């Protein structure tokens, strides 16, 4: 290490920011996390509107978080979360058709986003070298003028909601991490220092959610939840998941002009378009715990920081500030967890060149889920974008694979391993899977 790692400032205290803080706590003397919201309370935060909608920590994400926070799974289960075999415990549907079910080793964590974030914030806040500061927002970066902006030396922060005349506080740091999510201003701040923004890939899927919570009682089917794929034939979907407090969370998703309503009758009608008894049982028989809430995600965005020729030392983007996925695929938290492992490894090599090392590592983590999400989005004619031969072939093959998964547990497991990021997509083309997809041989 050519320079000692002393102070890191994390902008944003959502799950990504907390994971970045945990990763850097191993190599930095002090880590400060700031956020607009009050960080002393619990439950849904104003700055995380997506927190009121269905979330699930996929198998690989749960494994990584268990590594970063030993005991996490058991402690959350003790507080009411559930662990579920993703293939045996959930009813997966491709449109109206259920996937074959069988026991697997893919254990996911069913917990609300606010409860998971509260837990991580409490664990991070107990680290002796981490400080959490709420009620502050970033206003810009500090830099070393002698290097022409070549080294970021901290961040300017102001009280949340401050006016133009309010004084800013200067937080000096050896590293500033932008974990402020989809609406981040990192590229603007870099532009103020004379740096060109990274290339940006985006796909305008236009996803809209509507979510309602219900009192949870066991389903007559014995299932612990329902997940339906969104396909061009059935461009609407549902995720019914259990969570702490004996609650169901039901999120409906639609694209284009066919969007889920939030009025009671419209929500129930949309939820029961597919003949899935578990969904009808909940929307018509369970006690609602509040009104339906909407949420809109216009686009998936990936900023190609790994490709930029000039980048200042002392600053890096993280989580959704690098890549914000279409949330319908549920991979965002798992990708953030995997990025945290890469940040921890990159930080072990010292400050010099840290951003470039991290971006190179993070891009390899992001490539597979990004390709899967973009390919899935571009399967819909309403989504603008270039359909390469690779994307057209992959979507054609996945459609056949999902049909095979309705009768073959082995194909279904292979699909779930890819979605859970425990196996690369190449495994979907293994000889045993190809035989089942094209010949129907079990």
């Amino acid at each position: 290490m050519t320079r000692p790692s002393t102070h890191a400032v994390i902008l944003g205290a959502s799950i990504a920011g907390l994971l970045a803080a945990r990763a850097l706590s191993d190599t930095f003397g002090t880590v400060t996390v700031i956020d607009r919201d009050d960080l002393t309370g619990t439950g849904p935060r104003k700055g995380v509107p997506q927190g009121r909608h269905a979330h699930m920590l996929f198998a690989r994400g749960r494994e990584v978080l268990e590594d970063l926070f030993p005991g996490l799974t058991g402690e959350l289960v003790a507080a009411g979360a559930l662990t579920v075999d993703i293939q045996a415990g959930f009813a997966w549907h491709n449109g109206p058709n259920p996937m074959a079910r069988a026991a697997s080793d893919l254990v996911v964590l069913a917990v609300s986003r606010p409860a998971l974030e509260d837990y991580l914030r409490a664990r991070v806040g107990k680290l002796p070298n981490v400080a959490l500061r709420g009620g502050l927002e970033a206003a810009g970066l500090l830099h070393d003028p002698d290097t022409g902006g070549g080294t970021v030396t901290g961040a300017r922060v102001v009280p949340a909601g401050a006016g133009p005349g309010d004084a800013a506080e200067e937080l000096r740091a050896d590293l500033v991490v932008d974990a402020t999510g989809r609406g981040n201003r990192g590229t603007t701040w870099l532009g103020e220092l004379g740096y060109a923004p990274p290339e940006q890939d985006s796909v305008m899927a236009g996803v809209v959610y509507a979510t309602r919570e219900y009192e949870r009682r066991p389903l007559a089917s014995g299932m612990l939840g329902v997940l339906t794929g969104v396909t061009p034939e059935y461009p609407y979907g549902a995720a019914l998941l259990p969570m702490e407090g004996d609650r169901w969370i039901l999120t409906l998703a639609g694209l284009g002009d066919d969007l889920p309503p939030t009025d009671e009758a419209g929500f129930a009608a949309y939820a029961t378009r597919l003949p899935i008894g578990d969904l009808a049982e909940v929307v018509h028989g369970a006690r609602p715990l509040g009104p339906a809430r909407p949420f809109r995600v216009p686009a998936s965005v990936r900023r190609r920081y790994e490709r930029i020729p000039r980048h200042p030392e002392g600053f890096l983007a993280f989580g959704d500030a690098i890549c914000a996925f279409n949330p319908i695929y549920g991979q965002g938290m798992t990708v953030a967890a995997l990025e945290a492992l890469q940040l921890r490894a990159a930080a072990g090599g010292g400050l010099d060149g840290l951003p470039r090392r991290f971006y190179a590592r993070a891009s390899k983590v992001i490539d597979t889920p990004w390709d899967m999400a973009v390919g899935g989005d571009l399967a819909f004619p309403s989504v603008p974008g270039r359909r390469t031969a690779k994307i057209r072939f992959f979507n054609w093959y996945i459609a056949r694979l999902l049909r095979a998964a309705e009768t073959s547990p082995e194909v279904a497991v292979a699909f779930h391993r890819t979605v859970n990021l425990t196996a690369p997509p190449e495994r979907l083309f293994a000889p045993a899977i190809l035989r089942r997809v094209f010949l129907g041989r079990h």
Side-chain angles (χ1 to χ4, degrees):
M1 297 176 66
T2 57
R3 289 187 288 143
S5 301
T6 56
H7 186 207
V9 169
I10 314 294
L11 309 177
S14 67
I15 286 177
L18 296 170
L19 294 179
R22 171 63 188 88
L24 294 176
S25 68
D26 290 342
T27 50
F28 281 77
T30 305
V31 179
T32 302
V33 183
I34 72 160
D35 197 275
R36 287 177 54 93
D37 288 341
D38 176 14
L39 299 179
T40 61
T42 58
R45 293 196 293 117
K46 181 180 179 181
V48 190
Q50 69 271 29
R52 294 183 179 272
H53 302 270
H55 282 70
M56 183 169 61
L57 189 60
F58 280 148
R60 183 63 181 132
R62 187 190 64 80
E63 292 167 0
V64 173
L65 262 61
E66 188 69 35
D67 173 57
L68 293 171
F69 302 93
L72 171 144
T73 302
E75 291 177 4
L76 283 170
V77 168
L82 289 84
T83 52
V84 185
D85 179 327
I86 198 167
Q87 186 172 357
F90 288 135
W92 283 76
H93 290 257
N94 303 317
N97 303 318
M99 274 194 195
R101 290 197 297 272
S104 77
D105 59 353
L106 298 170
V107 177
V108 302
L109 186 63
V111 62
S112 72
R113 166 68 183 260
L116 178 59
E117 187 174 310
D118 289 347
Y119 175 87
L120 294 177
R121 187 167 63 249
R123 288 286 297 263
V124 169
K126 291 177 181 177
L127 296 171
N129 58 337
V130 176
L132 303 176
R133 297 183 60 187
L136 295 173
E137 61 181 305
L141 301 175
L142 305 175
H143 69 283
D144 183 353
D146 294 333
T147 62
T151 300
V152 170
T153 58
R156 294 194 312 276
V157 300
V158 296
D166 291 317
E169 177 184 355
E170 294 188 349
L171 290 181
R172 295 288 172 177
D174 302 285
L175 177 68
V176 176
V177 177
D178 180 10
T180 55
R182 289 176 179 267
N184 74 91
R185 297 171 56 204
T187 57
T188 300
W189 296 334
L190 290 178
E192 292 170 353
L193 300 184
Y195 290 88
E199 299 172 25
Q200 181 170 295
D201 300 334
S202 61
V203 180
M204 302 294 293
V207 176
V208 172
Y209 279 175
T211 296
R212 198 174 195 189
E213 294 181 14
Y214 297 86
E215 184 177 61
R216 176 161 55 89
R217 293 289 183 267
L219 296 171
S221 67
M223 291 292 97
L224 294 173
V226 177
L227 292 154
T228 72
V230 179
T231 67
E233 294 77 18
Y234 301 96
Y236 42 85
L240 176 69
L241 300 175
M243 57 185 186
E244 74 285 348
D246 292 324
R247 292 174 293 162
W248 291 114
I249 187 167
L250 175 58
T251 291
L252 309 179
L255 295 88
D257 297 325
D258 188 6
L259 304 178
T262 55
D263 65 282
E264 186 155 355
F267 184 90
Y270 200 98
T272 53
R273 278 181 169 185
L274 297 173
I276 300 174
D278 291 332
L279 296 179
E281 182 179 339
V282 170
V283 296
H284 293 310
R287 182 171 69 89
L289 299 178
R293 300 173 181 273
F295 182 63
R296 181 180 295 272
V297 183
S300 302
V301 178
R302 182 177 184 182
R303 297 174 180 86
R304 295 284 189 167
Y305 280 101
E306 76 276 12
R307 296 178 179 174
I308 59 178
R310 290 180 63 245
H311 190 280
E313 296 290 338
F315 173 83
L316 61 84
F318 189 85
D320 280 359
I322 303 177
C323 186
F325 294 89
N326 180 342
I328 206 168
Y329 302 108
Q331 295 174 314
M333 294 193 300
T334 295
V335 171
L338 292 169
E339 285 182 24
L341 293 184
Q342 301 307 322
L343 180 58
R344 182 170 65 175
L351 285 169
D352 292 333
L354 171 55
R356 193 166 298 281
R357 288 197 307 278
F358 168 69
Y359 290 138
R361 287 172 169 270
S363 67
K364 295 177 182 178
V365 166
I366 293 168
D367 281 343
T368 292
W370 176 256
D371 288 347
M372 292 168 59
V374 168
D377 288 345
L378 293 178
F380 295 88
S382 63
V383 176
R386 178 170 169 260
R387 276 80 171 167
T388 64
K390 177 183 176 182
I391 287 174
R392 292 196 304 272
F393 169 77
F394 191 75
N395 285 338
W396 171 81
Y397 180 74
I398 289 298
R400 291 192 64 119
L401 181 140
L402 290 176
R403 285 196 295 273
E406 294 168 11
T407 56
S408 170
E410 293 81 4
V411 174
V413 168
F415 171 75
H416 290 315
R417 290 194 192 286
T418 301
V419 170
N420 277 260
L421 302 180
T422 63
E426 292 78 14
R427 297 284 182 87
L428 297 178
F429 299 90
I433 301 301
L434 289 171
R435 283 195 298 271
R436 291 173 170 86
V437 170
F438 291 108
L439 302 177
R441 294 179 181 172
H442 300 282

